[in-house]
Amino acid sequence: MGTAEERPSRIPGAVVWQRSPTGPGRILPDGCMDLIHMDGRLVVAGPDTIAHLADAPAGQRLTAIRFAPGTAAGILGIPADELRDLRVPLDDLWGEKRSRRLAERLAEAPDRAAALEAALIGVGDPAEAWIDSVTARLRAGAPVAAVANDVGFSERQLHRRSLTVFGYGLKTLSRILRLNRALDLARGGMAFGTVAATSGYADQAHLAREVRALAGAPLTEVLR
């Protein structure tokens, strides 16, 4: 897929990244949404529930911001569940005129990443305070029920709010964050059985099933 260059953004929790693809790649669900400048246009990558197979033309330079889980909906001005598992032109969300102005600004910028970041700082609504806390606790492996009890919403309210900001409920978000935690450990050389136990899976077979369900391939293939 090509090597990515990443750095923390001045937008809270976000990451600015650039990549020159060299071939097809498997984009794993991570709980995030991205705004990507590609081929002179801007595209929003919604929150994925399964791996997305990307095949950007070689030689193309992608510039993007990956928003922290739960934060993109307020910035982009659309409920996250309306973008779930989709790739949508920014024109459809902001209108052609506003989107085109930003695309033209990026095309003329000597540093597209910095220009994209600057254009989005302060845009939209700030993330609600509970989002960071919920995400951090789920990343740490806290059970969904325990996290939900501490939020202060009813179960129905929490589910509705989670759909709006994350694109899916907390159980799905928890599975996705746990998968990414497990893959990070496996990439570091940890044995798969130990990865499963450390990440909160019942056993290695449970880990393998979750990798296939969310990443669409066996663990060894995903790691390659």
Side-chain angles (χ1 to χ4, degrees):
M1 182 76 183
T3 302
E5 303 167 13
E6 297 190 355
R7 65 168 174 80
S9 172
R10 289 181 288 158
I11 299 170
V15 172
V16 177
W17 62 265
Q18 292 185 297
R19 179 182 293 122
S20 297
T22 57
R26 185 182 303 273
I27 311 301
L28 302 180
D30 58 6
C32 301
M33 291 172 57
D34 295 62
L35 177 59
I36 307 169
H37 183 261
M38 52 189 298
D39 195 26
R41 59 196 178 95
L42 288 153
V43 175
V44 177
D48 291 328
T49 59
I50 56 175
H52 175 78
L53 300 179
D55 191 12
Q60 184 177 125
R61 183 68 167 172
L62 308 183
T63 300
I65 290 184
R66 181 185 309 118
F67 301 101
T71 63
I75 293 171
L76 299 176
I78 186 171
D81 57 328
E82 294 187 18
L83 302 175
R84 185 170 53 233
D85 292 320
L86 297 177
R87 303 296 182 266
V88 178
L90 186 63
D91 292 2
D92 293 354
L93 310 184
W94 281 9
E96 183 179 357
K97 184 176 181 180
R98 183 183 179 191
S99 179
R100 186 178 65 246
R101 280 203 307 266
L102 178 53
E104 291 173 349
R105 178 175 172 183
L106 297 182
E108 297 169 357
D111 185 340
R112 288 181 183 172
L116 179 59
E117 180 182 38
L120 293 171
I121 291 174
V123 171
D125 300 322
E128 298 179 58
W130 63 274
I131 292 174
D132 284 346
S133 175
V134 164
T135 304
R137 293 202 62 198
L138 291 178
R139 278 201 173 111
V144 171
V147 174
N149 285 337
D150 293 340
V151 172
F153 301 133
S154 70
E155 184 175 339
R156 179 175 296 180
Q157 286 176 321
L158 179 58
H159 183 70
R160 185 174 66 250
R161 286 171 178 258
S162 295
L163 290 177
T164 299
V165 299
F166 296 119
Y168 26 64
L170 292 191
K171 288 185 179 179
T172 297
L173 178 62
S174 178
R175 289 177 65 203
I176 289 169
L177 295 178
R178 180 172 61 176
L179 172 69
N180 281 271
R181 185 166 66 249
L183 291 176
D184 284 343
L185 293 174
R187 291 187 186 103
M190 183 179 287
F192 292 168
T194 307
V195 168
T198 303
S199 302
Y201 294 97
D203 51 31
Q204 188 172 331
H206 183 201
L207 168 63
R209 290 194 300 272
E210 283 290 273
V211 171
R212 280 188 174 274
L214 296 172
L219 178 55
T220 52
E221 182 177 335
V222 172
L223 293 176
R224 283 200 301 270

